[in-house]
């Protein structure tokens, strides 16, 4: 069996098809009584397409941190991370326009997000922050580091890559056609269908913890379906691998591994890690962090080990 080919096709078919409500395989998991915390920000403002919650402790001595969530998510996915970091770090928690009930903005989404991140760092005079990005936020952070490493001190990239798994060998024309077809299907969903899609995705791909999956799905469903489709299509068309050698800061890539999911493909944790590493070859200062018993929202499935790894990365910078 060709492990790379099998894993690539499975990742693409499950992740994309589920995102547009087409995945149908069955699984069952134990529910857990975990709740999503809420935290009051000291300051809230908007920079471009980024809605920002700023947590500033005058006694904080650590490096500033910018936390960027993924597709259709809001800053709430970082609530526990805020609790872990706010005493020692100035924090900027992002929600992108169109997600979590925030108004969408017209035009291309990812280039605007990248420009907004630059504007945030410059206008707020943030001194070499650490970027912590999840999923789409991870891909965005890696892309930003390719051209602006001089402005940051590191990237903690959580389950997001410079090219979407399954598209790495496609031509631009193939990738564009696929992305546009997905955009049309996702954008046409009414509120009920979009909500059902989010629940299906969170239960099957997003989290092991099914109680958490349901809570996150409710929040995710408040995002704009059209904007979500736009972001997803742009992510599918993105491939920034050629500029990875330009990243001069340390990068840690977090790879969650849930054995039950990968048993269907007879994939080991090492094979999954090798697959992820194949997408980021060229980053000079790279470390892969594999976290077991977690799905896509690894910071919610395994908060203790996740924050241990994050703090270790921050302390090494």
């Amino acid at each position: 069996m060709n492990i790379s080919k099998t894993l690539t096709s499975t990742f693409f078919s499950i992740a994309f098809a589920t995102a547009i409500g087409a995945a149908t395989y069955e699984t069952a998991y134990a529910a857990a009584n975990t709740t999503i915390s809420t935290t009051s920000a000291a300051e809230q403002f908007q920079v471009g397409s980024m809605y920002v919650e700023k947590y500033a402790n005058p006694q904080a001595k650590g490096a500033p941190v910018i936390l960027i969530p993924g597709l259709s998510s809001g800053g709430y996915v970082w609530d526990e991370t805020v609790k872990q970091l706010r005493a020692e770090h100035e924090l900027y928690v992002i929600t992108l326009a169109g997600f979590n009930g925030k108004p969408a903005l017209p035009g291309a989404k990812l280039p605007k997000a990248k420009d907004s991140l630059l504007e945030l760092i410059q206008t707020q005079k943030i001194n070499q922050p650490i970027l912590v990005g999840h999923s789409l936020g991870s891909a965005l952070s890696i892309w930003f580091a390719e051209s602006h490493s001089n402005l940051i001190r590191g990237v903690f990239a959580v389950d997001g890559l410079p090219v979407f798994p399954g598209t790495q060998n496609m031509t631009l024309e193939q990738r564009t056609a696929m992305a546009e077809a997905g955009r049309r299907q996702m954008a046409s969903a009414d509120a009920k269908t979009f909500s059902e899609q989010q629940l299906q995705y969170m239960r099957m791909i997003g989290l092991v913890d099914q109680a958490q999956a349901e809570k996150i799905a409710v929040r995710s469903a408040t995002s704009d379906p059209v904007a979500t489709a736009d972001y997803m299509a742009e992510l599918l068309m993105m491939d920034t691998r050629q500029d990875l050698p330009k990243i001069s800061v340390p990068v840690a890539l977090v790879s969650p591994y849930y054995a039950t999911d990968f048993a269907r493909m007879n994939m080991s944790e090492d094979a999954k890690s090798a697959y992820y590493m194949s997408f980021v070859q060229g980053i000079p200062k790279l470390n892969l962090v594999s976290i077991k018993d977690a799905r896509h929202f690894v910071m919610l499935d395994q908060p203790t080990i996740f924050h241990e790894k994050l703090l270790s990365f921050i302390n090494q910078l």
Side-chain angles (χ1 to χ4, degrees):
M1 178 178 62
N2 186 321
I3 291 178
S4 177
K5 182 177 180 180
T6 301
L7 191 51
T8 297
S9 61
T10 302
F11 257 72
F12 174 71
S13 61
I14 292 176
F16 181 61
T18 305
I20 61 175
T24 57
Y25 70 88
E26 296 179 352
T27 98
Y29 300 99
N33 295 319
T34 308
T35 59
I36 302 172
S37 61
T38 56
T39 312
S40 297
E43 184 179 353
Q44 299 184 32
F45 54 92
Q46 181 180 355
V47 177
S49 64
M50 289 186 166
Y51 293 85
V52 185
E53 299 175 31
K54 178 181 178 180
Y55 301 85
N57 177 4
Q59 283 74 47
K61 298 180 180 179
V65 178
I66 299 176
L67 298 153
I68 309 171
L71 188 73
S72 76
S73 293
Y76 55 83
V77 301
W78 300 117
D79 279 356
E80 185 59 34
T81 307
V82 170
K83 288 182 179 180
Q84 296 290 326
L85 299 182
R86 67 181 301 176
E88 295 296 330
H89 301 271
E90 182 178 80
L91 305 177
Y92 297 82
V93 184
I94 307 302
T95 296
L96 290 170
F99 297 159
N100 193 32
K102 302 298 185 184
L105 298 180
K109 300 297 187 288
L110 291 179
K112 180 63 174 178
K114 185 184 179 186
D115 290 344
S116 299
L117 181 55
L118 176 60
E119 183 181 354
L120 172 66
I121 293 172
Q122 292 178 331
T123 59
Q124 292 292 307
K125 297 180 172 60
I126 308 174
N127 182 25
Q128 289 191 298
I130 300 162
L131 303 184
V132 180
H134 175 239
S135 190
L136 179 148
S138 174
L140 176 62
S141 297
I142 292 170
W143 187 26
F144 186 87
E146 291 175 346
S147 53
H148 299 297
S149 279
N150 61 308
L151 297 179
I152 62 176
R153 70 184 72 198
V155 175
F156 198 73
V158 185
D159 206 16
L161 298 159
V163 62
F164 197 90
T167 69
Q168 69 273 19
N169 296 320
M170 290 184 178
T171 66
L172 178 60
E173 290 75 16
Q174 290 172 325
R175 186 183 285 117
T176 300
M178 177 199 63
E180 289 302 325
R183 186 204 305 264
R184 288 192 297 271
Q185 185 169 352
M186 187 185 294
S188 65
D190 58 24
K192 182 175 183 295
T193 301
F194 185 68
S195 178
E196 291 171 349
Q197 290 170 359
Q198 296 305 307
L199 180 59
Q200 183 184 41
Y201 178 84
M202 294 302 170
R203 284 175 170 173
M204 295 164 56
I205 305 295
L207 293 110
V208 176
D209 182 337
Q210 294 294 278
Q212 279 273 54
E214 293 178 6
K215 294 176 188 296
I216 292 293
V218 170
R219 301 292 294 270
S220 185
T222 65
S223 296
D224 184 328
V226 175
T228 300
D230 288 342
Y231 279 106
M232 185 64 187
E234 291 181 27
L235 187 63
L236 286 167
M237 288 187 281
M238 175 183 284
D239 184 358
T240 68
R241 288 175 293 176
Q242 69 278 3
D243 289 328
L244 292 176
K246 296 179 180 179
I247 300 177
S248 62
V249 296
V251 175
L253 175 62
V254 177
S255 171
Y257 182 80
Y258 188 52
T260 301
D261 291 342
F262 288 93
R264 298 180 181 91
M265 299 174 286
N266 194 28
M267 292 294 158
S268 68
E269 185 177 3
D270 287 345
K272 165 76 183 303
S273 296
Y275 175 69
Y276 266 34
M277 287 294 285
S278 72
F279 290 102
V280 290
Q281 293 302 312
I283 299 178
K285 302 174 184 178
L286 176 65
N287 179 43
L288 185 130
V289 178
S290 182
I291 298 180
K292 295 180 180 179
D293 301 322
R295 283 176 165 170
H296 188 49
F297 287 79
V298 56
M299 63 281 204
L300 300 181
D301 269 334
Q302 292 294 336
T304 300
I305 186 64
F306 175 84
H307 290 108
E308 286 177 359
K309 298 296 186 181
L310 174 57
L311 286 169
S312 176
F313 176 75
I314 291 173
N315 292 335
Q316 290 174 8
L317 294 177

